[in-house]
Amino acid sequence: MTAIIELPQILQGQKTELLGLIFELSPRQAGVLGEHYAKGLHAWFLHQLREVDPALSAYLHDGQTEKAFAMSRLWIEGDGARLAFKPGCHCEWSLHCLSEVVVAGVVAWLQKRSPQVMHLGEFEFAIKRIDISLPATTYQELWQKRVEYRLGLSFLSPTGFRRKGHHFPLPVPRNVFQSYLRRWNDFSSLPIESGAFLEWVDEFVVVRKHQLETRRVAAGKQGMMTGFIGSAVFNVVTKGRAQSKYCRLFSALGWLAPYCGTGHKTTFGLGQTVLGVELVAPVLSAAELSAQILGERIEELQEIFLAQRQRQGGDRARRIAELWAELLARRERGEALGEIAADLGISYGTAKSYVKLARQSLQALGSD
């Protein structure tokens, strides 16, 4: 049986809105995960929850507001840089709950289902233990914690934001704290008017130091994302401390960051964040290098196809150029067309037609 910490006893008699769990896993066979494996983690969790609370699972899947959970990607002992694993090796996965309703739903799932196995496509991971990684707390308790004017944050998985329809891979203070404030306002009972606070952040919060590197990674339901990993230190400058309410919010949002993650796609393992910094240049793994090369090729092709379709303009032209670029770049490195089509949510026939058109466009460019 899975060794699960006694969550009901720990949570009994106390209100809990925030909770972090860590799943210790052991693969039952050898294998290598595909770049889009985070979709499987996301789907596995929601499927498990649906068995206990279908309405909550549907809300977390279909809801148009912020999602009240976040998760990590897999940490794999040994050769995890290539997403490769062997039977019996140690793996970890984290799940974070951001509302009282989700905490209750997850605790009910663990009580009633006592999950023994995580299924990721063709692979099975035995669940050896589930433990608490971030303590049970509330937004009110975060608000009441000591005020910090200096926050060091480390971004463990690629982190990014959306800006003018593109990925923005920099920890600009306004973007970072706006991402936390969105979750705070959605799930706490202490909402803060965002406009004035973000103006305060623009004026009084600075990045003192950082050690960052860019990463390209498979993100969410489809496509690639450009993000950053590494560390940054955010400081409130002296003259800004007069506004104690905003200083307290700055600090509380820093305490919230490890629970909710940073930026977008946090429900697919991106933006995983911890307090503290290690200003050491991150090492580019083999899997990340592969994604980086693929991402650069996709960007190169996007520029070509957009330039060719410049007269059409609009979002449709940009979307078609992006699809053509990803389809062709992934076919060039030998991926199966059916798998790419499934990742991108289009039919095999459409994918085949788009690849043909993309190749014809490149050939036409070469003959000019």
Side-chain angles (χ1 to χ4, degrees), residues 144-162:
Q144 293 173 342
K145 288 174 74 73
R146 71 178 183 274
V147 175
E148 300 285 352
Y149 299 102
R150 175 186 176 95
L151 290 173
L153 298 174
S154 291
F155 309 99
L156 305 185
S157 62
T159 304
F161 310 91
R162 294 293 289 176

Side-chain angles (χ1 to χ4, degrees), residues 114-252:
S114 187
Q116 304 295 304
V117 178
M118 173 187 285
H119 295 275
L120 283 181
E122 62 189 287
F123 304 118
E124 290 186 352
F125 292 77
I127 299 174
K128 310 298 289 185
R129 179 174 172 79
I130 304 172
D131 209 339
I132 290 178
S133 58
L134 293 171
T137 189
T138 66
Y139 291 90
Q140 180 68 45
E141 288 171 349
L142 295 186
W143 181 262
Q144 293 173 342
K145 288 174 74 73
R146 71 178 183 274
V147 175
E148 300 285 352
Y149 299 102
R150 175 186 176 95
L151 290 173
L153 298 174
S154 291
F155 309 99
L156 305 185
S157 62
T159 304
F161 310 91
R162 294 293 289 176
R163 182 176 180 180
K164 298 182 179 179
H166 298 279
H167 300 298
F168 185 69
L170 286 172
V172 173
R174 183 185 184 96
N175 292 342
V176 170
F177 288 90
Q178 183 179 37
S179 77
Y180 305 147
L181 185 59
R182 289 200 309 269
R183 279 84 163 188
W184 182 279
N185 281 343
D186 268 18
F187 307 125
S188 81
S189 58
L190 305 166
I192 300 290
E193 197 281 315
S194 61
F197 172 70
L198 294 175
E199 289 178 5
W200 178 85
V201 169
D202 276 339
E203 186 170 357
F204 296 120
V205 178
V206 298
V207 177
R208 285 298 188 199
K209 56 183 177 179
H210 66 80
Q211 184 73 59
L212 303 168
E213 286 198 9
T214 304
R215 290 289 188 270
R216 288 284 290 181
V217 65
K221 297 179 180 179
Q222 60 186 43
M224 305 289 291
M225 187 199 85
T226 301
F228 60 88
I229 63 171
S231 302
V233 176
F234 302 88
N235 263 54
V236 177
V237 295
T238 304
K239 62 182 180 181
R241 297 187 183 182
Q243 294 170 285
S244 59
K245 177 181 178 181
Y246 289 155
C247 290
R248 181 167 291 280
L249 180 59
F250 165 85
S251 180

Side-chain angles (χ1 to χ4, degrees), residues 17 27 87 139 316 366:
E17 297 173 318
Y139 291 90
R316 175 172 170 76

Side-chain angles (χ1 to χ4, degrees), residues 191-358:
I192 300 290
E193 197 281 315
S194 61
F197 172 70
L198 294 175
E199 289 178 5
W200 178 85
V201 169
D202 276 339
E203 186 170 357
F204 296 120
V205 178
V206 298
V207 177
R208 285 298 188 199
K209 56 183 177 179
H210 66 80
Q211 184 73 59
L212 303 168
E213 286 198 9
T214 304
R215 290 289 188 270
R216 288 284 290 181
V217 65
K221 297 179 180 179
Q222 60 186 43
M224 305 289 291
M225 187 199 85
T226 301
F228 60 88
I229 63 171
S231 302
V233 176
F234 302 88
N235 263 54
V236 177
V237 295
T238 304
K239 62 182 180 181
R241 297 187 183 182
Q243 294 170 285
S244 59
K245 177 181 178 181
Y246 289 155
C247 290
R248 181 167 291 280
L249 180 59
F250 165 85
S251 180
L253 294 179
W255 293 114
L256 175 64
Y259 291 91
C260 68
T262 305
H264 63 164
K265 303 292 185 182
T266 53
T267 58
F268 290 92
L270 302 185
Q272 186 181 2
T273 305
V274 297
L275 285 169
V277 297
E278 293 184 10
L279 297 179
V280 178
V283 176
L284 192 67
S285 71
E288 289 167 334
L289 178 60
S290 174
Q292 189 93 336
I293 293 170
L294 174 62
E296 290 170 358
R297 178 57 174 161
I298 290 173
E299 288 179 351
E300 177 188 3
L301 291 172
Q302 282 178 0
E303 291 179 5
I304 293 171
F305 296 144
L306 276 172
Q308 290 174 328
R309 304 173 67 87
Q310 194 169 16
R311 292 181 181 178
Q312 298 180 33
D315 289 339
R316 175 172 170 76
R318 180 175 61 82
R319 177 60 180 153
I320 292 297
E322 290 174 351
L323 279 171
W324 283 16
E326 180 155 355
L327 281 162
L328 186 55
R330 291 174 66 177
R331 283 295 291 143
E332 286 176 344
R333 69 175 196 169
E335 292 188 48
L337 187 57
E339 292 180 2
I340 304 172
D343 284 341
L344 298 179
I346 60 178
S347 70
Y348 179 86
T350 299
K352 185 176 180 180
S353 174
Y354 280 179
V355 169
K356 182 178 179 180
L357 291 170

